[in-house]
Amino acid sequence: MTTQLNETARLARAIRRRALEMVAPQGFGYLGQALSSAEAVAALYGSYLRPGTDRFVCSPGHYIIAAYAAAAELGRLSDEQLATYGRNGSELEAIGTERTPLVDLTCGSLGQGLSGAAGFALADRLRGIGDRRVFALISDGELEEGQVWEAAMFAAHHRLGKVVAILDANNSQVDGPVDTITTIEPILGKWESFGWHAVDIDGHDVAEVHRAFEEALADERPSVIIARTSTVHGIDALPPDADGHFIKLPADLVERARKELSDA
């Protein structure tokens, strides 16, 4: 297990490094989403998501940066492909679309991904496919959408235990901190009341992340891993008040962050 945790920590650092290089040419971008979700995505891609067997739903399309970075580090995307991120005509768009590689579903409008994950799981059951799991990456800002809770009720009612939601609770959205827009707490209590197995963890602690995945995969109910994170975690060079949703990166900040990540 120690080796697995060390590998997840290494992959999380690599996700941050690659994500920085992906947004650096433009000087701005969705870096914060990669910084906050790095440990969860690293554990998912490195240990639990079985390519060709399991399904992966990236509900907030801008979080796709973390999936791209993880896939490139694991050899599932080439460095040449990754270098096209966010450019006109690239299949690696900054916000995922219906043609985005690596995922089974990514959404434009927020709050739709969990519905898709539940639909995948129910379809697999009806087709007699029993070994396929459905992982859905969702964000705390999406909890303001009623469709998320409709999907949560649906999944619990049908006992779709193959669904595992990874909730990146970084308290960041385009209009500002989530808790200044809508009160969504208590998040844990809400999911439990809807009939889900739910666990609330430090999303940057790789041991807690792995424990949460193991518990989720062992439970017969749909599961949600509430990962408490920060959009500036892992790069001390970023100012504390950096806009985590869409970080601006002047050249001098890029260089300081690059040095910090290369020394890690």
Side-chain angles (χ1 to χ4, degrees):
M1 187 62 171
T2 300
T3 300
Q4 187 180 44
L5 297 182
N6 289 340
E7 174 56 23
T8 297
R10 184 205 66 78
L11 181 54
R13 290 192 297 272
I15 288 171
R16 292 187 170 95
R17 285 195 300 269
R18 287 183 177 271
L20 175 67
E21 297 302 334
M22 291 160 70
V23 302
Q26 290 79 30
F28 53 81
Y30 297 110
L31 176 62
Q33 288 75 10
L35 299 182
S36 62
S37 67
E39 280 77 16
V41 172
L44 177 64
Y45 265 72
S47 298
Y48 299 106
L49 181 66
R50 300 169 297 178
T53 299
D54 297 328
R55 294 189 189 273
F56 176 48
V57 175
C58 182
S59 185
H62 50 302
Y63 270 78
I64 198 66
I65 184 174
Y68 291 155
E73 187 66 20
L74 295 171
R76 299 173 196 168
L77 281 178
S78 69
D79 290 343
E80 290 74 20
Q81 286 176 293
L82 201 67
T84 69
Y85 168 79
R87 296 184 182 179
N88 289 339
S90 172
E91 65 175 346
L92 304 188
E93 296 171 277
I95 298 178
T97 71
E98 64 278 358
R99 66 177 187 151
T100 296
L102 304 172
V103 297
D104 294 281
L105 175 66
T106 186
C107 303
S109 296
L110 297 177
Q112 297 180 342
L114 192 61
S115 295
F120 282 143
L122 183 58
D124 287 341
R125 176 186 293 172
L126 295 174
R127 294 169 62 193
I129 301 173
D131 188 42
R132 177 181 288 157
R133 304 175 304 212
V134 185
F135 296 97
L137 178 61
I138 62 178
S139 66
D140 52 353
E142 291 183 290
L143 300 187
E144 297 168 336
E145 299 280 357
Q147 184 170 343
V148 173
W149 300 110
E150 293 174 13
M153 283 190 291
F154 181 89
H157 174 77
H158 290 282
R159 297 191 67 83
L160 299 178
K162 299 297 185 181
V163 174
V164 177
I166 304 102
L167 171 58
D168 185 45
N170 62 20
N171 197 36
S172 174
Q173 63 180 41
V174 67
D175 292 325
V178 175
D179 59 11
T180 68
I181 308 301
T182 302
T183 300
I184 59 176
E185 298 290 354
I187 299 176
L188 178 68
K190 285 185 171 71
W191 286 93
E192 289 178 333
S193 72
F194 275 71
W196 283 57
H197 164 74
V199 59
D200 198 323
I201 65 167
D202 177 349
H204 298 305
D205 185 317
V206 294
E208 288 193 28
V209 170
H210 275 276
R211 174 180 56 80
F213 270 107
E214 295 292 340
E215 290 181 6
L217 294 173
D219 204 287
E220 294 183 354
R221 296 168 292 175
S223 297
V224 58
I225 299 169
I226 304 162
R228 304 287 181 169
T229 64
S230 165
T231 56
V232 296
H233 187 86
I235 302 182
D236 292 339
L238 292 174
D241 61 348
D243 180 2
H245 184 79
F246 196 76
I247 292 178
K248 294 182 180 180
L249 293 168
D252 63 320
L253 181 53
V254 169
E255 287 306 315
R256 295 201 306 273
R258 184 178 284 145
K259 183 178 187 308
E260 184 180 335
L261 289 172
S262 64
D263 292 342

